[in-house]
Amino acid sequence: MFSALGRWLGLDENALTGGEVLGINMRNALIQKYNPRHAIERARDKVAAKRALEAAGISCTGTVAVLEDNQQVANFKPSRDMPDAWAIKPARGSQGDGILLAVRREGNTWFKGSGAPLPEDMVMHHIQKVVDGGFSGDSAAEDAALIEPLIIADPALSRIVPEGLPDLRVISLHHTPLMAMVRLPTIESDGKANLHQRAIGAGIDMETGCITRAVVKGVPITHHPDTGVNLIGFEIPGWKRVLELASRCGPAVGLGYCGADIVLDVNDGPLVIEVNAHPGIEIQNICQAGLKARIAATGEDFR
């Protein structure tokens, strides 16, 4: 199953077939060992992480603007400075809090995917709330608003989901991708690729890039509940490029163990949107495989 990946990584392919599960304590030990505090802080800040990734030549989502203080906000005018479709993200947000998306524009009014209008004053109010730290998720008094062009999903993926943007999570140790899943939005998840909101988590074969198993809140499924598309066996477009990007993210940000979040753009292919310094272990349940054996195959000593 992992022979091609093993050869690509220079690993023992037989050692990658084990099913030992990585527990939370062992995961925390890996983070403590390989993820220094300054790198964790860099990863938590989407702006700082993006700058580090781009400096390393890693393809990321585009940037319209970064607003880091009230003076920059005062000089910003959405009707002049923003495209027809965009995403506003808090630099230090988490769990999708504070993300605002517009899919089209009419005059000085944008519209959400639901059709709800976003007039210019509402957009500015949201930007100000982001910069004031309203979505930072920690004790930071201030934040930065990262404004990006709206990603349009690769057609092969967009036909699977009713709305929203699917994304990939790839867990890596140093330069070695170990496990991956794709998160697929549903109507019930409100078009968001958030597993806690009942998006689909689908495990991916690391050699072929094909979906092997899909679940919603721990319940196995074979077809997308909204579109009816068969998920099992679906091949992720540009899979080798996805692995190549994921293998470079941790070192670029200064992390030894991380999760890279990647989207597939219709024009630009795989793009990194975020790097997570504390990737969760639920991916093992989704893939029905253990991370411990795959990590051990890289030479990591768990003693």
Side-chain angles (χ1 to χ4, degrees), residues 74-110:
N75 293 331
F76 188 78
K77 188 173 178 59
S79 60
R80 180 192 64 207
D81 300 326
M82 296 180 75
D84 293 347
W86 43 256
I88 299 173
K89 303 176 182 180
R92 299 184 65 83
S94 61
Q95 299 293 322
D97 289 345
I99 295 178
L100 183 65
L101 306 177
V103 300
R104 64 184 178 90
R105 175 181 182 174
E106 293 180 9
N108 291 339
T109 299
W110 291 264

Side-chain angles (χ1 to χ4, degrees), residues 43-250:
R44 290 183 65 195
D45 186 324
K46 294 180 180 63
V47 174
K50 192 172 188 178
R51 287 169 177 162
L53 292 167
E54 290 176 338
I58 295 172
S59 300
C60 299
T61 50
T63 301
V64 173
V66 177
L67 305 178
E68 300 180 277
D69 56 45
N70 289 327
Q71 184 60 51
Q72 291 179 337
V73 173
N75 293 331
F76 188 78
K77 188 173 178 59
S79 60
R80 180 192 64 207
D81 300 326
M82 296 180 75
D84 293 347
W86 43 256
I88 299 173
K89 303 176 182 180
R92 299 184 65 83
S94 61
Q95 299 293 322
D97 289 345
I99 295 178
L100 183 65
L101 306 177
V103 300
R104 64 184 178 90
R105 175 181 182 174
E106 293 180 9
N108 291 339
T109 299
W110 291 264
F111 293 85
K112 297 181 179 181
S114 65
L118 292 167
E120 188 168 21
D121 60 346
M122 186 180 293
V123 175
M124 284 302 302
H125 176 77
H126 187 81
I127 290 172
Q128 186 67 63
K129 186 174 180 180
V130 169
V131 174
D132 287 343
F135 305 102
S136 63
D138 57 24
S139 59
E142 297 179 346
D143 203 343
L146 174 61
I147 305 173
E148 299 178 334
L150 189 69
I151 296 297
I152 306 300
D154 182 289
L157 277 176
S158 63
R159 75 177 182 85
I160 293 179
V161 300
E163 60 178 311
L165 179 67
D167 68 13
L168 297 150
R169 162 64 61 87
V170 183
I171 305 289
S172 297
L173 180 63
H174 306 305
H175 289 282
T176 305
L178 301 169
M179 191 170 288
M181 65 177 172
V182 60
R183 295 173 289 207
L184 302 168
T186 62
I187 291 175
E188 198 167 0
S189 73
D190 195 29
K192 298 177 181 178
N194 189 320
L195 301 184
H196 300 292
Q197 296 179 3
R198 300 188 69 82
I200 298 166
I204 302 173
D205 182 292
M206 296 296 284
E207 177 184 347
T208 65
C210 293
I211 292 176
T212 59
R213 185 172 185 268
V215 299
V216 177
K217 283 288 187 179
V219 178
I221 61 173
T222 57
H223 293 68
H224 195 290
D226 304 315
T227 62
V229 174
N230 180 31
L231 301 176
I232 308 305
F234 176 85
E235 184 177 352
I236 302 297
W239 181 241
K240 289 184 178 179
R241 176 63 174 161
V242 169
L243 290 180
E244 191 269 333
L245 284 179
S247 71
R248 297 169 59 198
C249 284

Side-chain angles (χ1 to χ4, degrees), residues 53 58-61 245-246 249 260-263 270-275:
L53 292 167
I58 295 172
S59 300
C60 299
T61 50
L245 284 179
C249 284
D261 292 343
I262 296 171
V263 293
L271 300 171
V272 178
I273 56 171
E274 191 171 348
V275 180

